[in-house]
Amino acid sequence: MSSIYLSNAIFMMIILTIIFLRIRYYITWSQSKKYTMIFIGMVELYVLMDALFMKELLGKSGNLLQFKLVVFFFYLVYVIMPYVWHLFMQSYMGINRSKKQRFAEMIPFILLVLMVLLSVPTGIVWRFSRNRTYIRGTFFGVFAVLYSGSVVKTKI
């Protein structure tokens, strides 16, 4: 299972890198091109972190600190990606918002990042048992609802 998962992740990263390079070298520079490249880079990071997360999760032995770092960066990329998509779509569609509207749109993103950062010392979104078992935290449900709402908002 793990080797197939990692092989698929490598394949996806190769395809995303090809797309990234094609956009970089063959499309004239614009604001939406910048956000497209940032978004593709975030997706590549997500694929990498997801693959590392599964490798650590399925691997029964290993360094707990390494697993904690993988989970932290997985969640961080996971919450940044929809916001970058939102910025890309606004740029692509030529939508200009006031500073107040942009700040209001950032609130779910800021809350999600804070939950990820606070989970490191408190375990509110995730934690680990002594035997290296990944456990969802007490506020994982709140995190999931807030994340889902932010993803839906980015589609609107």
Side-chain angles (χ1 to χ4, degrees):
M1 163 70 178
S2 180
S3 63
I4 293 172
Y5 200 88
L6 291 174
S7 298
N8 287 339
I10 291 168
F11 176 75
M12 288 188 329
M13 289 187 66
I14 290 169
I15 297 299
L16 287 166
T17 301
I18 290 168
I19 293 169
F20 180 88
L21 293 173
R22 301 278 303 173
I23 289 170
R24 181 166 188 247
Y25 291 113
Y26 296 106
I27 295 178
T28 57
W29 189 257
S30 68
Q31 188 73 2
S32 57
K33 176 182 175 178
K34 177 179 103 173
Y35 285 119
T36 302
M37 292 175 64
I38 292 169
F39 180 71
I40 291 172
M42 291 304 299
V43 173
E44 282 188 292
L45 279 173
Y46 175 78
V47 169
L48 174 65
M49 296 315 301
D50 185 56
L52 291 173
F53 178 83
M54 289 306 293
K55 180 183 174 292
E56 291 291 328
L57 186 67
L58 296 175
K60 297 300 178 195
S61 62
N63 186 331
L64 180 59
L65 177 61
Q66 179 179 314
F67 195 7
K68 286 180 177 182
L69 286 171
V70 166
V71 171
F72 172 74
F73 285 111
F74 169 80
Y75 273 105
L76 201 56
V77 169
Y78 185 70
V79 300
I80 292 171
M81 202 169 44
Y83 187 71
V84 171
W85 172 256
H86 175 71
L87 294 174
F88 161 70
M89 288 307 298
Q90 283 189 339
S91 173
Y92 182 76
M93 295 171 54
I95 298 171
N96 294 313
R97 305 244 196 245
S98 69
K99 286 185 179 184
K100 191 181 281 188
Q101 287 173 318
R102 286 193 310 250
F103 179 74
E105 291 172 344
M106 284 182 68
I107 291 172
F109 169 70
I110 292 168
L111 291 173
L112 287 165
V113 169
L114 285 174
M115 289 180 82
V116 169
L117 294 173
L118 286 172
S119 196
V120 173
T122 65
I124 62 172
V125 179
W126 78 87
R127 62 186 174 86
F128 292 90
S129 68
R130 291 186 192 273
N131 65 350
R132 203 179 171 273
T133 302
Y134 166 83
I135 302 167
R136 290 180 176 170
T138 309
F139 288 93
F140 182 83
V142 174
F143 176 84
V145 168
L146 187 58
Y147 179 80
S148 298
S150 73
V151 170
V152 168
K153 169 63 179 114
T154 63
K155 307 287 189 230
I156 297 174

